[in-house]
Amino acid sequence: YDTRGDRFASAAPITDEQIALLNYLQQAFPDGAVLFRPRLAQFLSVRKSRRRLGAQQRLAESLVDFLICREDGKPLFAFEVDAFKSHDDPLLQHRAAEKNLMLKSAGIRLIRLKGAQTGWPPPEVLRLRLQAAQRTPTPQAQPSGFGSSEFGGSGFQSTGFGNSRMHDSSVMSLSQLTGVEPANGDPWSGLRKRS
């Protein structure tokens, strides 16, 4: 078989909607890198598994829609966009849960983007809210029982993102980041009561 006679046609690997979201994330994280549809095997490796080969295969088969990396290339946040998914897939929820567990074990927070981009906050607001969410301890964290150290107050405050492995990771939706309460929630629950 002689390959010199083969001819090929180009096809767009990304849609207009995906390009718009890529631009949005690049505006939100201008000092980092935004990767489009990277496979988990590109930024995760197997630390421990009873079936190492099977775990490596799952990493090679799974991907996220977008990955935000720091300046040094370390992954910070993974984004999944529900509009890009086929809702006819019966295994969609199972795959999403498995993917979240893999990312969570590596300390990478998964953020789900739902709805139209017009309903999302401005890029700089998204960045600030993700920084705040990264610094905020999770509610299920238990106090250690140790007092505060006098050596901790160095006066240095980072304006960028730290290592996401230092914080517990969980799936966050855009409504959680924007502070919007669910439609069936109590709209007054966020207000403080007077004593």
Side-chain angles (χ1 to χ4, degrees):
Y1 171 58
D2 186 2
T3 59
R4 289 177 292 180
D6 293 349
R7 299 293 177 264
F8 302 92
S10 65
I14 187 169
T15 66
D16 291 341
E17 189 178 18
Q18 292 166 333
I19 290 171
L21 182 53
L22 180 65
N23 291 332
Y24 172 82
L25 292 172
Q26 286 172 334
Q27 289 173 9
F29 303 96
D31 53 345
V34 182
L35 304 180
F36 175 65
R37 297 186 58 83
R39 296 202 177 277
L40 269 55
Q42 289 179 266
F43 61 94
L44 294 181
S45 60
V46 180
R47 280 186 294 147
K48 177 182 169 185
S49 176
R50 284 186 267 157
R51 296 188 54 220
R52 188 173 198 80
L53 192 58
Q56 288 172 334
Q57 184 176 357
R58 283 197 326 273
L59 287 177
E61 293 169 351
S62 301
L63 49 87
V64 291
D65 293 324
F66 295 95
L67 180 70
I68 308 295
C69 298
R70 294 188 320 201
E71 297 163 334
D72 62 359
K74 302 263 188 201
L76 280 174
F77 301 106
F79 286 85
E80 288 282 299
V81 184
D82 286 354
F84 301 164
K85 306 289 180 259
S86 169
H87 298 289
D88 298 335
D89 185 359
L91 298 176
L92 183 66
Q93 294 297 326
H94 173 72
R95 288 187 187 126
E98 185 179 61
K99 189 184 307 182
N100 180 49
L101 284 174
M102 289 188 274
L103 291 167
K104 186 174 182 175
S105 73
I108 300 170
R109 181 163 276 169
L110 179 64
I111 293 116
R112 302 197 74 88
L113 297 175
K114 299 179 181 181
Q117 188 174 343
T118 56
W120 301 344
E124 59 277 1
V125 173
L126 176 71
R127 178 184 174 87
L128 291 173
R129 289 185 177 154
L130 284 173
Q131 283 177 329
Q134 188 182 32
R135 288 189 295 260
T136 304
T138 56
Q140 66 264 26
Q142 300 296 321
S144 66
F146 292 102
S148 60
S149 168
E150 295 183 19
F151 297 104
S154 66
F156 176 77
Q157 184 175 2
S158 173
T159 57
F161 289 100
N163 186 348
S164 62
R165 292 169 196 238
M166 299 301 288
H167 305 282
D168 192 23
S169 176
S170 61
V171 177
M172 293 187 75
S173 68
L174 197 58
S175 60
Q176 288 173 310
L177 286 173
T178 57
V180 175
E181 290 293 324
N184 59 357
D186 179 9
W188 302 104
S189 63
L191 298 177
R192 292 175 53 167
K193 295 181 181 179
R194 291 186 186 186
S195 304

